[in-house]
């Protein structure tokens, strides 16, 4: 693939585009695409034959890239490729990903987006989902992160479906086969407009930005706990191991942001037990064991403290459309 490139004169907006469908060895993809354009290496993580569809659009000095590829790791290092001027990256994912940056791991769900300071090295792990190729929209914006997004500390996750959709729409247009014809279409979203939207979003979350990464990790850990409540292996040690942090950091994170880790796990287990009780499909003894309560009296005491009534009073109420009220008879 020959990478198209044009230099824009002052005040001129130039768009070029090109695409590549390549199957076979990964070396060409690394040397001709990843290193010069992404400043990254690519390491496949499956045994399936390597396959990639890569599309590129250049607007002035900005780049839009769209990748469909087999699962792997994009390892971005500033030393790879031609030295880049100050820039930032906006990445939208179509699959589950893990972003490893500055000694932390950030889990990205399908449809998430992230803004990154282009001077940071990172690994982006593209994970396999139901045999599908991994989809990645990558925007390289040629201006320093501090100038574009004041206060950005290495990264910020965008939890707005509308903005992620807009990023995808932008990239789809910029990497289309229409090439320079795009400049004649007034409705085409420009990089500047996209930056303004993202800046407004980040400014809106500015008061919490200092703790943004901790809060995001806190929510991800709570989701992990919720998804593994019935697991016998759920423990502070297994949680810390899963998120690649120390148990000390795990305990400290929960202490700073609200209830302790122990209190959080108990509360989540009690809420899950209440949902099952209200469905009326399981016996109390079964639910008690499902969620790791080995002592019945402890479960009854904690349940009543949390919800103001004993477990049996809420049994089957969801199916009947009722909202149970505590009564003296319930305590017997």
């Amino acid at each position: 693939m020959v990478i198209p490139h044009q230099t824009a004169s002052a005040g001129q907006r130039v768009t070029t585009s090109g695409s590549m469908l390549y199957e076979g060895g990964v070396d060409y993809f690394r040397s001709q695409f990843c290193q010069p354009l992404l400043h990254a290496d690519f390491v496949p993580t499956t045994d399936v034959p390597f396959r990639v569809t890569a599309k590129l659009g250049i607007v002035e000095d900005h780049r839009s890239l769209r990748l469909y590829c087999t699962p792997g790791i994009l390892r971005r290092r500033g030393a790879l490729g031609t030295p880049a001027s100050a820039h930032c990256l906006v990445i939208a994912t179509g699959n589950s990903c893990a972003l490893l940056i500055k000694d932390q791991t950030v889990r990205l769900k399908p449809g998430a987006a992230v803004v990154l300071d282009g001077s940071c090295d990172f690994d982006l792990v593209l994970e396999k989902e139901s045999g599908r190729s991994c989809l990645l929209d990558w925007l390289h914006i040629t201006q320093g992160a501090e100038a574009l997004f004041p206060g950005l500390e290495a990264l910020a996750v965008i939890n707005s479906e509308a903005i992620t959709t807009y990023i995808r729409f932008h990239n789809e247009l910029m990497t289309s086969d229409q090439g320079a014809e795009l400049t004649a279409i007034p409705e085409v979203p420009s990089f500047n407009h996209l930056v303004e939207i993202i800046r407004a979003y980040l400014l809106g979350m500015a008061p919490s930005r200092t703790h943004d990464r901790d809060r995001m990790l806190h929510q991800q850990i709570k989701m992990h706990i919720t998804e593994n409540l019935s697991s016998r292996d759920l423990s502070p040690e297994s949680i810390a191991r899963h998120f690649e942090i120390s148990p000390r950091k795990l305990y400290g994170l929960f202490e700073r942001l609200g209830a302790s880790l122990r209190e959080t796990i108990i509360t989540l287990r009690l809420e899950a037990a209440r949902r099952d009780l209200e469905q009326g499909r399981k016996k109390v003894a079964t639910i008690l064991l499902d969620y790791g309560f080995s002592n019945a009296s402890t479960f009854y005491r904690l349940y009543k403290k949390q919800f103001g009534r004993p477990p049996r009073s809420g049994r089957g109420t969801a199916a009947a459309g009722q909202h149970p009220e505590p009564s003296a008879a319930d305590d017997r």
Side-chain angles (χ1 to χ4, degrees):
M1 172 188 173
V2 177
I3 301 299
H5 180 73
Q6 295 185 23
T7 301
S9 59
Q12 183 184 12
R13 179 161 174 259
V14 179
T15 303
T16 60
S17 66
S19 64
M20 170 181 72
L21 175 61
Y22 182 75
E23 297 182 56
V26 73
D27 291 341
Y28 182 82
F29 176 62
R30 285 170 169 163
S31 63
Q32 299 300 312
F33 198 92
C34 289
Q35 291 180 12
L37 293 172
L38 307 182
H39 301 284
D41 194 9
F42 183 81
V43 181
T45 54
T46 66
D47 296 329
V48 300
F50 176 72
R51 178 185 175 91
V52 62
T53 302
K55 292 188 175 184
L56 165 69
I58 298 175
V59 180
E60 297 177 346
D61 292 325
H62 310 306
R63 303 172 196 157
S64 286
L65 303 108
R66 171 165 283 194
L67 297 178
Y68 294 92
C69 62
T70 50
I73 304 173
L74 274 169
R75 289 188 170 143
R76 193 170 201 267
R77 301 294 183 269
L80 289 171
T82 305
S85 57
H87 65 286
C88 64
L89 301 172
V90 179
I91 300 173
T93 65
N95 300 70
S96 296
C97 296
L99 179 65
L100 285 65
I101 181 171
K102 288 186 175 292
D103 298 323
Q104 66 172 314
T105 301
V106 180
R107 302 291 306 181
L108 300 175
K109 292 183 177 181
V114 62
V115 181
L116 295 161
D117 183 341
S119 65
C120 295
D121 293 343
F122 60 84
D123 289 355
L124 184 62
V125 183
L126 308 177
E127 299 174 352
K128 182 178 180 180
E129 285 189 4
S130 305
R132 297 184 302 167
S133 295
C134 299
L135 168 62
L136 195 68
D137 283 302
W138 179 296
L139 281 71
H140 177 118
I141 303 174
T142 309
Q143 194 169 348
E146 180 60 32
L148 289 177
F149 309 115
L152 180 70
E153 298 178 1
L155 82 158
V157 175
I158 298 174
N159 293 311
S160 167
E161 184 178 349
I163 293 179
T164 301
T165 301
Y166 191 85
I167 292 169
R168 289 240 177 90
F169 173 64
H170 175 280
N171 243 26
E172 187 174 351
L173 286 173
M174 292 302 168
T175 59
S176 74
D177 295 327
Q178 297 180 71
E181 295 177 7
L182 282 172
T183 56
I185 305 175
E187 290 81 8
V188 170
S190 69
F191 276 86
N192 290 340
H193 185 50
L194 185 59
V195 166
E196 289 174 6
I197 291 173
I198 295 173
R199 184 188 294 124
Y201 175 84
L202 295 181
L203 286 174
M205 54 185 278
S208 62
R209 189 178 299 150
T210 304
H211 305 290
D212 184 54
R213 285 173 292 181
D214 281 351
R215 291 184 179 183
M216 180 171 57
L217 179 60
H218 183 257
Q219 289 301 316
Q220 290 172 337
I221 293 173
K222 286 180 67 176
M223 288 178 60
H224 173 76
I225 294 171
T226 301
E227 292 167 358
N228 293 275
L229 285 174
S230 59
S231 172
R232 303 287 184 187
D233 298 326
L234 183 66
S235 67
E237 291 74 20
S238 70
I239 296 169
R241 197 161 48 244
H242 179 82
F243 287 93
E244 300 179 352
I245 60 177
S246 67
R248 180 179 178 181
K249 180 176 180 179
L250 176 65
Y251 286 117
L253 179 71
F254 276 78
E255 292 290 348
R256 287 196 308 275
L257 296 179
S260 68
L261 177 63
R262 178 178 180 275
E263 291 169 339
T264 300
I265 293 175
I266 290 174
T267 298
L268 291 173
R269 281 177 164 161
L270 289 170
E271 289 174 350
R274 181 178 66 170
R275 287 192 294 271
D276 281 2
L277 281 168
E278 290 177 350
Q279 290 297 321
R281 296 172 185 170
K282 295 181 181 179
K283 294 181 179 179
V284 174
T286 301
I287 293 172
L288 187 148
L289 293 175
D290 282 348
Y291 295 113
F293 293 98
S294 57
N295 185 294
S297 61
T298 299
F299 172 70
Y300 274 70
R301 176 175 55 79
L302 291 172
Y303 190 99
K304 186 172 182 181
K305 180 180 179 182
Q306 181 74 18
F307 303 115
R309 60 177 183 271
R312 296 188 186 280
S313 67
R315 183 167 172 77
T317 55
Q322 301 171 355
H323 300 281
E325 297 293 338
S327 67
D330 286 333
D331 294 333
R332 293 197 297 268

